[in-house]
Amino acid sequence: MPIPGTPSRAELVDHLVRTRIAGEVATPRENNLSHYRQLANGNRNYWFGLDLGDRWTDEQDVLAVMAERVGVNDDPEYRYGQDTIDPELTVDGLDRMAARLRKAAEGRQRVLCATGHPGGLLDVHHATAAALRTAGCEIVVIPDGLQTDEGYVWQVADVAVLEHGATLWHTHSGEPMKAILTALEREGRPLPDLVVADHGWAGYAGQHGVDSVGYADCNDPALFVAEAEGTVQVAVPLDDHVPTPRHYDPMVAYLLAEAGLRERQTG
């Protein structure tokens, strides 16, 4: 059942575990390790728009970062079965993101929200954009007519997304964000002061020098290694596609309250 009002930290941790946004998540260990290996082997599809060079060629180094920042099992010999996201690390990430959102609101900054995982996170980003707009931020309107090899770059409910065949698409690519930032520069418009996103949208923005905060799953290591290097400011660990998007609502309420964008209520 939804948590009424805004949850406390303890209530949110319990909710994250019960809904499997964190705790014992659906993503299996073998899938996690495969993705860490792909990143270390230089597969750009797993770099999320970042330029990682030759700094992460050892998959054990990637695993170490994921154990520290996400809470996956740190044993390299554990190769099959259940893996985990530490819910305390999820809330720690939300706290860091909230601090950056507060700064954006106080400075009435230009903010761009975007998602490569619209099935799970579209409402999360829409609620964030709406709260920032209410606080006086400018929500960047993306240029018209943008596209990549995968489809068209649109903006739905103040959130940039990839569209193809009248459907919003899941993508890890940084190309949609590249298309937006390149078009803004071409038109002589200022870049966002902050990007709030996930997947390659967050990765490419950070690589381009824009302050970037975002969400990532335990099988998506790129944003966490980028956070470790300082290219991405915040990477919040969570399962990014649980069975119902409504499960994310208490998390968003907590985030916005901590950012000062919504008055804290008692449940």
Side-chain angles (χ1 to χ4, degrees), residues 69 77 87 90 99 103 106 112 136 159 164 209 215 221 231 233 239 242 247 254:
R69 294 178 179 267
E77 299 305 315
T90 301
K103 178 181 176 181
E106 290 173 348
L112 174 62
V159 182
H164 182 81
Y215 303 95
T231 307
Q233 289 195 320
D239 186 315
V242 294
H247 287 332
Y254 177 91

Side-chain angles (χ1 to χ4, degrees), residues 125-153:
H125 291 298
H126 169 59
T128 303
L132 288 168
R133 183 191 295 280
T134 298
C137 289
E138 174 189 345
I139 302 303
V140 175
V141 176
I142 70 171
D144 291 331
L146 303 181
Q147 63 183 100
T148 71
D149 289 342
E150 289 184 294
Y152 295 94
V153 185

Side-chain angles (χ1 to χ4, degrees), residues 97-109 137 211 233 259:
M97 183 181 284
R100 186 59 186 87
L101 296 181
R102 182 184 293 271
K103 178 181 176 181
E106 290 173 348
R108 299 196 171 187
Q109 293 182 339
C137 289
D211 280 5
Q233 289 195 320

Side-chain angles (χ1 to χ4, degrees), residues 15 34 74 123 162 230 266:
H15 172 80
S34 173
D74 65 356
D123 272 0
L162 185 69
T266 56

Side-chain angles (χ1 to χ4, degrees), residues 205-220:
Q207 188 66 52
H208 200 73
V210 178
D211 280 5
S212 178
V213 300
Y215 303 95
D217 210 327
C218 57
N219 64 349
D220 293 333

Side-chain angles (χ1 to χ4, degrees), residues 243-264:
T244 171
R246 295 281 67 79
H247 287 332
Y248 296 110
D249 290 351
M251 181 190 81
V252 174
Y254 177 91
L255 171 70
L256 297 182
E258 292 301 305
L261 300 176
R262 176 182 295 171
E263 291 297 325
R264 181 177 289 279

Side-chain angles (χ1 to χ4, degrees), residues 14-221:
D14 178 69
H15 172 80
L16 295 174
V17 173
R18 283 190 293 104
T19 57
R20 300 184 73 186
I21 294 172
E24 292 189 348
V25 293
T27 309
R29 175 68 166 191
E30 48 268 39
N31 183 263
N32 283 347
L33 294 181
S34 173
H35 286 206
Y36 305 168
R37 187 176 309 115
Q38 293 283 357
L39 182 147
N41 288 342
N43 187 332
R44 295 298 181 104
N45 291 328
Y46 294 82
W47 283 19
F48 283 21
L50 294 152
D51 184 1
L52 302 179
D54 59 359
R55 300 185 298 279
W56 297 93
T57 57
D58 187 336
E59 64 183 274
Q60 301 307 321
D61 291 340
V62 180
L63 174 60
V65 167
M66 296 302 287
E68 176 189 7
R69 294 178 179 267
V70 178
V72 301
N73 191 311
D74 65 356
D75 182 0
E77 299 305 315
Y78 179 62
R79 298 194 167 273
Y80 301 96
Q82 187 73 51
D83 215 338
T84 54
I85 295 174
D86 185 339
E88 297 287 349
L89 293 178
T90 301
V91 182
D92 287 346
L94 292 170
D95 288 342
R96 295 195 303 277
M97 183 181 284
R100 186 59 186 87
L101 296 181
R102 182 184 293 271
K103 178 181 176 181
E106 290 173 348
R108 299 196 171 187
Q109 293 182 339
R110 296 180 301 277
V111 182
L112 174 62
C113 294
T115 185
H117 223 303
L121 299 179
L122 181 62
D123 272 0
V124 172
H125 291 298
H126 169 59
T128 303
L132 288 168
R133 183 191 295 280
T134 298
C137 289
E138 174 189 345
I139 302 303
V140 175
V141 176
I142 70 171
D144 291 331
L146 303 181
Q147 63 183 100
T148 71
D149 289 342
E150 289 184 294
Y152 295 94
V153 185
W154 283 10
Q155 200 163 21
V156 176
D158 282 335
V159 182
V161 294
L162 185 69
E163 187 274 346
H164 182 81
T167 302
L168 303 186
W169 271 37
H170 172 218
T171 180
H172 288 179
S173 175
E175 290 300 307
M177 181 58 71
K178 180 180 180 180
I180 293 172
L181 300 184
T182 299
L184 290 173
E185 291 175 327
R186 185 172 59 244
E187 294 179 3
R189 293 171 56 191
L191 295 182
D193 298 304
L194 175 66
V195 164
V196 184
D198 51 69
H199 291 75
W201 303 81
Y204 185 85
Q207 188 66 52
H208 200 73
V210 178
D211 280 5
S212 178
V213 300
Y215 303 95
D217 210 327
C218 57
N219 64 349
D220 293 333

